[in-house]
Amino acid sequence: MLKRRTVLQGALAGAVLSGCSTGTPESAPTAASPGALPLEVVAGAEYGGFAAAAYRKKYPGSMVSSAVVPQLRDKVLPRFQAGGPPDVVLNVGDKTLDVGRLVAQGQVADLRAVLDGPAWDNPKAKVADSILPGMLDFGRYDGTQRTINYVATVYGLWYSATLFQRHGWDVPRTWPELVALGTEMKGAGLGALVHPGTHPYYLLELILTLAAKTGGHDVVKRIDNLEDGAWRDSSLVRAISAIGDLVKRGLIAPGSAKYDHITAQKRFLASKAGMLPCGNWLENEMKPLVPKTFALTMFGVPALDGSAALPRGLHVAATSPYLVAEKGKNKAGGLEFLRAALSTDVAAQVTTEANQLTIVRGAADGLEVGTALRSARDLLGAAGDQAITWYFDSWYPAFATAAAEATAEFLAGGVPVSDWTGRIQAAADELKKDKAVTKYHRA
């Protein structure tokens, strides 16, 4: 595990959290104010700088520069190594920074002062209280908050509401209803479910979600913690068997095994298939190709039966990490910028202008958005404390790739369920023994 660093000094925390926290203008910056020094923000996407206006309003006369740099590893990493990093980084884009390595080098600030401080737009509440349940865990390294992953990525099954209306199909609420719907789709000449077979993680994600809905949060917690027999859990066996049943019934769209994600998505948007598993980045990724009358909409993976531990369970991942440089010239200002970014107004702007959901509780409520984002937003709101999260894929990417490859082989009929569970469990056991790989634990 990465070693825990010293907490922020009291003087620094006081500088960050002092004064009025409602976002209203203060007096001109003083030497102790975060606004006294220039603040540099570098982001892999434009919305990373949206909090600049709120920051300037709170600190009149402050100088904030915000630049979009998609290839952070090439442009920003050398600055960290040379001791002159930007104050704030939104780590998204084509070439992202290896945050774990930067944390190990002492380059990333502890963000607890942000979370423990008063909310930007409600001084009676802490910032942490305004964040959706479970979303902060994604940025913790050995128990210390090093990043705040800002975007809430929702996973589910996509469909065309227009196509469903034309055929008189209802959104399935249970797995048997999904199977029955898929059979109707097949009878109508459609592939029921299309997926990118060259990226088998998409269906592994569906399997894990289904297993967690059945058996509860502990199913994926045990997987994350590399516990003995975690991949042989009965809920996981039932989930992979249910996907295998779709294959046997011919409800996987023909050709899926050879499709990449773009090809599968194009087939779906051309109404050659009725359902597609994907995260809610789908609309932004395929926006030019979404037919105007398609009514792109998401529904949650239905539970196997009425005994599900998490009937509203929904896989949600917090992505797009913000970090503050430990050795930045205006570290206090960087922490204050993150507090502004976590305000309702800034988060609502991100949803409206960047078509992204954020981890800020309720920030997207009531906003005028399209069917795709609205459906993801509504699912996220309904999930509450049943949001399903896992981390092994980011903690141990090579192992996650091996699990996905085993899933592809299973879908192709190459291995039975027992071999699928056994093969992945064996890989997990080997990983657990490998002392060269840093291990992580979730509570």
Side-chain angles (χ1 to χ4, degrees):
M1 296 292 288
L2 296 170
K3 298 299 182 183
R4 192 180 176 97
R5 287 183 55 81
T6 306
V7 298
L8 292 172
Q9 296 297 320
L12 174 62
V16 174
L17 303 175
S18 63
C20 176
S21 58
T22 62
T24 56
E26 295 183 345
S27 58
T30 66
S33 167
L37 296 173
L39 179 70
E40 183 185 5
V41 180
V42 173
E46 185 179 6
Y47 64 85
F50 282 5
Y55 184 94
R56 292 189 189 101
K57 183 178 180 180
K58 181 177 174 68
Y59 299 106
S62 60
M63 297 177 60
V64 184
S65 65
S66 176
V68 178
V69 179
Q71 297 182 327
L72 295 168
R73 197 183 314 147
D74 293 342
K75 302 294 184 180
V76 178
L77 181 58
R79 294 183 55 188
F80 273 94
Q81 305 305 335
D87 302 299
V88 179
V89 177
L90 177 68
N91 193 32
V92 297
D94 297 331
K95 293 183 178 181
T96 56
L97 301 171
D98 184 341
V99 177
R101 181 171 293 182
L102 290 176
V103 170
Q105 294 171 352
Q107 297 273 18
V108 183
D110 183 339
L111 302 181
R112 282 176 295 176
V114 176
L115 299 172
D116 291 341
W120 190 264
D121 39 15
N122 181 10
K124 295 182 180 180
K126 288 184 178 182
V127 170
D129 296 334
S130 68
I131 295 175
L132 292 168
M135 296 297 100
L136 290 173
D137 291 345
F138 287 87
R140 291 192 180 121
Y141 290 76
D142 200 22
T144 300
Q145 198 77 42
R146 298 296 182 180
T147 69
I148 293 176
N149 292 26
Y150 190 67
V151 169
T153 298
V154 177
Y155 292 79
L157 292 166
W158 291 96
Y159 70 101
S160 163
T162 303
L163 180 69
F164 272 45
Q165 185 177 29
R166 185 185 308 142
H167 287 274
W169 293 332
D170 293 325
V171 173
R173 295 165 298 177
T174 66
W175 194 260
E177 287 181 3
L178 182 142
V179 173
L181 173 61
T183 303
E184 288 191 43
M185 289 176 171
K186 183 180 178 182
L190 298 177
L193 186 143
V194 65
H195 71 96
T198 62
H199 303 293
Y201 182 80
Y202 281 76
L203 275 194
L204 178 59
E205 184 278 329
L206 177 58
I207 293 163
L208 291 170
T209 301
L210 192 55
K213 285 178 74 82
T214 301
H217 294 298
D218 283 345
V219 173
V220 283
K221 283 184 179 180
R222 293 181 66 233
I223 287 173
D224 282 344
N225 291 336
L226 302 177
E227 291 188 19
D228 295 344
W231 286 89
R232 293 192 175 94
D233 186 281
S234 60
S235 297
L236 201 54
V237 172
R238 291 185 64 196
I240 185 66
S241 299
I243 299 301
D245 182 58
L246 295 183
V247 176
K248 291 176 183 177
R249 292 173 182 267
L251 302 184
I252 302 296
S256 291
K258 297 181 180 179
Y259 293 155
D260 63 13
H261 63 294
I262 297 297
T263 303
Q265 290 162 192
K266 284 181 177 178
R267 297 284 294 177
F268 168 69
L269 294 173
S271 294
K272 301 295 184 183
M275 296 176 285
L276 171 80
C278 191
N280 71 300
W281 64 80
L282 175 66
E283 182 180 29
N284 286 349
E285 185 171 67
M286 303 299 287
K287 202 161 194 175
L289 299 179
V290 180
K292 292 182 179 179
T293 59
F294 195 81
L296 181 64
T297 312
M298 174 191 280
F299 68 92
V301 176
L304 286 175
D305 55 39
S307 65
L310 303 174
R312 302 189 315 277
L314 183 76
H315 179 205
V316 184
T319 59
S320 302
Y322 268 116
L323 62 89
V324 173
E326 177 70 25
K327 300 174 183 178
K329 293 181 180 178
N330 192 0
K331 177 179 168 182
L335 297 172
E336 190 75 337
F337 183 89
L338 261 60
R339 197 164 67 91
L342 293 166
S343 67
T344 301
D345 286 347
V346 174
Q349 182 187 1
V350 172
T351 296
T352 301
E353 298 185 23
N355 207 42
Q356 301 274 11
L357 296 174
T358 73
I359 63 171
V360 179
R361 191 192 303 266
D365 291 352
L367 298 179
E368 291 294 328
V369 294
T371 58
L373 197 65
R374 183 166 65 247
S375 59
R377 177 195 67 192
D378 293 348
L379 286 169
L380 181 62
D385 61 1
Q386 293 190 14
I388 297 166
T389 58
W390 59 76
Y391 311 103
F392 77 92
D393 52 342
S394 57
W395 288 348
Y396 315 114
F399 168 65
T401 297
E405 289 173 349
T407 303
E409 190 173 344
F410 169 81
L411 294 170
V415 295
V417 169
S418 59
D419 285 359
W420 180 83
T421 58
R423 177 171 160 183
I424 301 177
Q425 186 60 57
D429 293 342
E430 287 301 312
L431 172 62
K432 187 176 182 178
K433 297 176 189 174
D434 190 347
K435 295 182 179 180
V437 178
T438 301
K439 306 302 190 303
Y440 302 94
H441 181 84
R442 62 181 292 193

